[in-house]
Amino acid sequence: MMSDPPATARRAQPTAGRAKIAHIAVGVSAYPEGHDAAALGAALARATGADLMLIAVLSDPLVIPLAGMSWKSLRKHAQAALAQISDQVMPDARVVVRTDVSVARALRRVVAREHRDLLVVGSSHKATEGSVRIGKRVRQLIGYAGCGLAIAPRGIHNRANIPFRRIGVGYEGRPESEAALSLAASIALAAKAQLHVCGVVDDRSKSARWSKGAAAALQPELDDRAHAELELLRERALTAAHSLDPSARVDIRRGRPADALLDLCADVDLLVIGSRHWGAAARLLLGSTGESLAYHATCPILIVPRAQDAT
């Protein structure tokens, strides 16, 4: 069920409490997926007014360089390649080259040292064109990255431009989704985009433990409970969304959250989700819904870390 904003609603003005992206880092490689990350990072930087940093990691310093090449020459070659990519996506971006056995560890260290709000990475080379699929190195970042993580669909750098006309966000009322909503609203405001809030009451498990006969007898009661949860979530979502952006659209339904958000991917230019609701604070953690999106989303996704005070 979709709830449209009042006709008189105006775009919310920036507030001190709204999350914000001011400093973006991008993990860039020589592969097409690295160019995807650079293209998405630059588009987000332009949309939000953030500064951009492109990072390349020479990942195996323990191996003797190829004949005739020193590590110094390899670093200069990597810096030149980064500068070329920067010229293509955002000429004033900073370029950084690091050497580490672990690409994920090097990215985490740069992000922490440079106080980046967001790290943008590409999908696995196994992803289908236009879809997100996390690979081994991105998996190593999840659980340890201390900032938001955006994942570019494979092949996105081939687009003439990457617009942000509609920003989607998953909402289920917990602090993690409140953080996602706050950041999504900030991006929508900066990009002058429509904010689309999607919440789902997952009632599949409520009757799973019953036999078919018992489930049929209890179905009216289960439907009443689901309806009550639906109305409660709708009220919370409308209040939260319109406090940040009065023009936000709110869609609350019953079903499987992953299915609803995967459907939403077809209608938005960026989907923002929160981490799962348990685990370390200030870290990225994927629940079952996040896992589905990290392997099947058809638009860029942005995962927001758990807040420091999340419980």
Side-chain angles (χ1 to χ4, degrees), residues 68-90:
M69 296 192 72
S70 65
W71 281 111
K72 182 177 180 180
S73 63
L74 286 175
R75 287 177 63 86
K76 289 182 67 174
H77 178 76
Q79 287 173 336
L82 271 185
Q84 184 176 17
I85 294 174
S86 175
D87 288 342
Q88 294 171 355
V89 298
M90 184 169 278

Side-chain angles (χ1 to χ4, degrees), residues 214-225:
L218 290 170
Q219 195 60 48
E221 180 181 349
L222 295 174
D223 287 341
D224 288 343
R225 290 181 182 179

Side-chain angles (χ1 to χ4, degrees), residues 225-240:
R225 290 181 182 179
H227 180 75
E229 290 182 29
L230 197 74
E231 292 306 312
L232 178 61
L233 183 58
R234 178 179 291 106
E235 181 179 350
R236 292 189 65 176
L238 284 169
T239 299

Side-chain angles (χ1 to χ4, degrees), residues 3 169-179 181-182 195 197-201 227-245 248-252 311:
S3 296
V169 59
Y171 183 85
E172 39 79 275
R174 292 190 176 99
E176 294 77 17
S177 65
E178 296 284 355
L181 174 60
S182 178
L195 179 63
V197 183
C198 180
V200 182
V201 172
H227 180 75
E229 290 182 29
L230 197 74
E231 292 306 312
L232 178 61
L233 183 58
R234 178 179 291 106
E235 181 179 350
R236 292 189 65 176
L238 284 169
T239 299
H242 290 167
S243 70
L244 295 167
D245 183 350
R249 301 187 71 186
V250 177
D251 179 16
I252 307 297
T311 56

Side-chain angles (χ1 to χ4, degrees), residues 174-179 274-283 285 304-311:
R174 292 190 176 99
E176 294 77 17
S177 65
E178 296 284 355
S275 293
R276 72 185 182 199
H277 63 277
W278 58 272
R283 289 294 182 265
L285 303 158
V304 180
R306 299 193 73 224
Q308 289 283 5
D309 57 352
T311 56

